[in-house]
Amino acid sequence: MVGLGAWQLGADWGDVTEADAHATLQAAVDAGVTFIDTADVYGDGRSEQIVGSFVKDKPGLTVATKMGRRLPQEPSNYTLDNFRAWTDRSRANLGVDTLDLVQLHCPPTAVFGTDEVFDALDTLVQEKRIAAYGVSVEKVEEALTAIARPGVASVQIILNAFRLKPLERVLPAAAEAGVGIIARVPLASGLLSGRYDENTTFAADDHRNYNRHGESFDVGETFSGVDFQVGLEAVRRLSPLVPDGATMAQFAIRWIIDQPGLTVVIPGARNPQQARANATAADLAPLTPETREKVAAVYDELIRPQVHDKW
Ligand SMILES: NC(=O)c1ccc[n+]([C@@H]2O[C@H](COP(=O)([O-])OP(=O)(O)OC[C@H]3O[C@@H](n4cnc5c(N)ncnc54)[C@H](OP(=O)(O)O)[C@@H]3O)[C@@H](O)[C@H]2O)c1
């Protein structure tokens, strides 16, 4: 299933106007998207508010949000009182009594091993503030720890042609446990769209400029942790694999859809054209085993040495 990532509708990707944000959501839904991923911290609530005003009176849409990054990333902040306050703010921003899905937003690793945190999340479900909870993680080990928790409904993790490690253990473990997998950063922050070259620049308020080396948050969230020049070379080698009539971005999304255990892939889009194109990637034929092997070969040669052991 293809959903929509709504980080772009908040901030950190250069300017996206409110009109563009609404048009992007509308284009995604018109193309069949029913799952939208946002966070309380995207534009400090702007993304949630825009999504909330859009989904109002539109039944059948699922909105997943995230909490926990508006305070310093310290385990002591992951308390029931804070969870109540954070979810109250998200409920107001999204205009709902019960949030469909709340994800811990890449908390410190120690949080995944803390029973009280998951007891508090269970309490939120009992209080009907949230219908379900999941986690967003940086590392494979964090995903595996979360999957072992009985109440965790979903794990959000970076998975794309430049990030193959989750295929080894995380997707099989999630399928076995009945936990949903939400694949984020599917286009490696746009690198896998094939649109960039050595001369491409990004706005000052775009994380692909200001977080290129992990200055503000985990470097893996920007270009999937791949050096920009190396990524360009890998994309050039992948481009002959793109099926006729498809774009590189659609190819990259289809590659993710084909992975066993995948629940939803959430490409971010900053305009209606991107949202529409991404949703229709699901209409492409599944990629052949030969094509998947060639993707893995490019990964092994160029990307694996840079990222595989880090996350
Ligand atoms: N820690 C976390 O939990 C976390 C972290 C990161 C992301 N996320 C979630 O995952 C979602 C997806 O990840 P992401 O947005 O970081 O990265 P992404 O989906 O890999 O890349 C998004 C970028 O790809 C380009 N793009 C999108 N569709 C395109 C198309 N059809 N053709 C050409 N280019 C296209 C756009 O770049 P341009 O801007 O250059 O047009 C867009 O801004 C986010 O929106 C967010 O909801 C969560």
Side-chain angles (χ1 to χ4, degrees):
M1 176 166 87
V2 182
L4 175 74
W7 183 9
Q8 283 74 359
L9 313 188
D12 306 314
W13 295 80
D15 185 39
V16 176
T17 66
E18 197 158 330
D20 279 348
H22 273 272
T24 301
L25 287 160
Q26 189 64 55
V29 169
D30 288 347
V33 165
T34 59
F35 184 92
I36 301 165
D37 178 76
T38 183
D40 58 4
V41 78
Y42 295 163
D44 200 22
R46 180 181 191 245
S47 176
E48 281 189 334
Q49 287 164 9
I50 288 171
V51 170
S53 67
F54 176 80
V55 301
K56 195 167 175 286
D57 305 324
K58 289 192 185 66
L61 300 178
T62 299
V63 178
T65 193
K66 309 186 204 79
M67 64 179 182
R69 294 192 77 88
R70 297 181 67 249
L71 285 182
Q73 303 297 287
E74 289 160 12
S76 58
N77 282 331
Y78 293 79
T79 63
L80 178 57
D81 281 351
N82 279 342
F83 288 175
R84 285 185 174 131
W86 297 343
T87 51
D88 282 351
R89 183 173 177 274
S90 290
R91 291 159 74 207
N93 282 341
L94 286 164
V96 295
D97 290 333
T98 304
L99 298 166
D100 295 333
L101 177 70
V102 169
Q103 305 155 94
L104 295 179
H105 199 165
C106 294
T109 303
V111 167
F112 296 99
T114 306
D115 291 345
E116 291 75 13
V117 168
F118 291 88
D119 291 346
L121 291 167
D122 287 332
T123 301
L124 296 185
V125 175
Q126 285 153 17
E127 293 174 350
K128 297 195 172 20
R129 290 165 190 270
I130 67 175
Y133 62 84
V135 296
S136 184
V137 304
E138 302 287 5
K139 297 191 176 102
V140 157
E141 297 304 332
E142 295 167 345
L144 294 170
T145 305
I147 288 167
R149 296 264 170 193
V152 169
S154 63
V155 169
Q156 181 176 142
I157 191 163
I158 298 181
L159 172 66
N160 60 45
F162 288 171
R163 187 68 75 88
L164 269 49
K165 196 169 179 179
L167 301 180
E168 294 171 356
R169 288 189 294 153
V170 174
L171 268 65
E176 170 83 22
V179 170
I181 288 287
I182 302 172
R184 77 168 180 270
V185 197
L187 300 175
S189 314
L191 249 181
L192 281 164
S193 75
R195 287 161 50 229
Y196 311 145
D197 63 24
E198 284 74 7
N199 300 317
T200 304
T201 55
F202 298 94
D205 60 347
D206 188 317
H207 72 99
R208 293 168 295 183
N209 184 345
Y210 70 76
N211 195 53
R212 186 73 72 94
H213 305 290
E215 294 90 335
S216 292
F217 46 83
D218 193 296
V219 70
E221 305 297 347
T222 301
F223 299 131
S224 211
V226 174
D227 172 77
F228 190 65
Q229 303 298 331
V230 173
L232 292 177
E233 173 58 22
V235 166
R236 281 186 191 116
R237 295 214 205 159
L238 293 176
S239 62
L241 304 176
V242 177
D244 287 345
T247 64
M248 171 69 88
Q250 290 170 318
F251 167 74
I253 293 168
R254 180 71 234 189
W255 179 89
I256 297 171
I257 295 171
D258 288 342
Q259 305 306 326
L262 187 275
T263 307
V264 59
V265 49
I266 50 165
R270 44 185 296 133
N271 59 48
Q273 292 81 0
Q274 289 181 351
R276 213 172 289 121
N278 295 341
T280 52
D283 301 335
L284 295 182
L287 303 177
T288 63
E290 293 75 31
T291 299
R292 292 205 300 271
E293 277 167 24
K294 287 176 182 166
V295 171
V298 172
Y299 176 83
D300 284 343
E301 186 184 339
L302 294 177
I303 308 296
R304 180 185 286 268
Q306 295 204 343
V307 303
H308 203 78
D309 294 333
K310 287 194 191 155
W311 293 280

